[in-house]
Amino acid sequence: MLLKVMTYNIQSGRNLAGDRSVGHALSAIRAEMPDILTLNEVQHCTEASEGRCQAAGIAAALGYGHRFARAIDLWGGEYGIALLSRFPILSAEVFPVPELEPALRDGWYEPRVHLRCRLEIEGRALTVLSTHYGLSDGEIRLAVAESCRLAEGNEPLLLMGDLNAEPDSPLLAPLMEAFADTAPADGALLLTYPSDTPEKKIDYIFTRGDFAVRRVWVPATTDSDHRPYCAELEF
């Protein structure tokens, strides 16, 4: 069967012009209608989100199931990542990324997590591992090691999210060895950031197992500071 999957950093529902409304992210998502979607920078019941869960609101509008994973407390609520799916979600687990020692932190730092969900797709199990890596080299190294640890096993798996590193970064080399990048190897980088004039590819969908990539694309939208990254996969 064909699966359409998307990963999208929604910048807490804020578009590039600075207007905050989860409707911006929903507009970009509805234009593609992915079967499986992972979201980064999601607010859950914060003052800025007017006490609502952004992931739950998007899921309700699409008629999908969802799971939210808290990374930090923020503005009276929580902030983190989410998975949405039109398929049944069998289980969901949240795993904190090991924290970098304070002496090694540089620049902006915040705790990060992985969200590991098992989905049922026409009688078959699929694991989706979603995450949002930190900004520094040390944080990314710890997150990469944790992604590889959480992906152990033989079940078909997708690894999706904003990894804050470009494809040629040696920091991502372990992922490139352990998984198959859906991006083509012919130099088409599918740039995702910033959304108005993209210069970097830092959003990814990796596969492991019984998948064939039919197409990949990056919709042109400024409904966030990132563009979504999409793939159509035969499973």
Side-chain angles (χ1 to χ4, degrees):
M1 68 173 300
L2 289 179
L3 294 177
K4 184 186 286 187
V5 297
M6 172 192 284
T7 186
Y8 192 18
N9 183 325
I10 66 170
Q11 198 186 202
S12 297
R14 195 167 67 249
N15 68 5
L16 201 62
D19 178 56
R20 189 188 301 276
S21 168
V22 76
H24 298 306
L26 181 58
S27 175
I29 294 163
R30 273 185 164 148
E32 304 299 331
M33 288 304 294
D35 301 305
I36 301 167
L37 166 69
T38 62
L39 300 177
N40 298 136
E41 298 192 12
V42 179
Q43 292 195 25
H44 176 83
C45 302
T46 67
E47 295 171 5
S49 68
E50 300 179 336
R52 301 185 181 95
C53 175
Q54 293 181 327
I58 294 171
L62 299 176
Y64 285 13
H66 84 284
R67 296 292 187 274
F68 169 80
R70 170 196 169 277
I72 61 171
D73 294 328
L74 180 71
W75 299 334
E78 299 174 332
Y79 172 90
I81 61 177
L83 172 137
L84 287 73
S85 171
R86 74 176 184 88
F87 302 104
I89 302 172
L90 302 177
S91 65
E93 301 170 281
V94 180
F95 300 89
V97 173
E99 294 197 16
L100 190 66
E101 296 178 25
L104 300 178
R105 298 174 187 176
D106 57 349
W108 179 260
Y109 178 84
E110 66 186 47
R112 308 282 176 159
V113 297
H114 286 81
L115 173 61
R116 186 171 68 185
C117 296
R118 294 184 75 245
L119 312 181
E120 181 182 4
I121 301 177
E122 296 187 355
R124 301 178 66 188
L126 170 64
T127 297
V128 181
L129 188 61
S130 55
T131 191
H132 183 191
Y133 287 177
L135 299 174
S136 71
D137 288 2
E139 292 175 83
I140 294 173
R141 288 191 187 95
L142 288 172
V144 166
E146 185 70 353
S147 293
C148 291
R149 184 187 74 82
L150 294 173
E152 290 177 352
N154 298 315
E155 190 169 88
L157 178 140
L158 300 176
L159 170 62
M160 305 167 63
D162 172 2
L163 305 189
N164 275 316
E166 296 185 72
D168 60 354
S169 169
L171 297 170
L172 299 187
L175 299 184
M176 298 296 182
E177 295 174 4
F179 310 103
D181 189 356
T182 54
D186 63 1
L189 294 179
L190 299 165
L191 306 179
T192 59
Y193 182 85
S195 60
D196 54 346
T197 54
E199 300 174 351
K200 301 178 180 180
K201 179 188 185 300
I202 56 176
D203 300 274
Y204 295 83
I205 298 171
F206 290 96
T207 69
R208 184 190 66 199
D210 190 18
F211 291 98
V213 179
R214 292 304 176 215
R215 65 185 180 114
V216 289
W217 67 102
V218 172
T221 173
T222 56
D223 285 317
S224 171
D225 61 340
H226 286 240
R227 292 184 177 186
Y229 179 85
C230 305
E232 187 176 67
L233 308 172
E234 186 170 342
F235 177 52

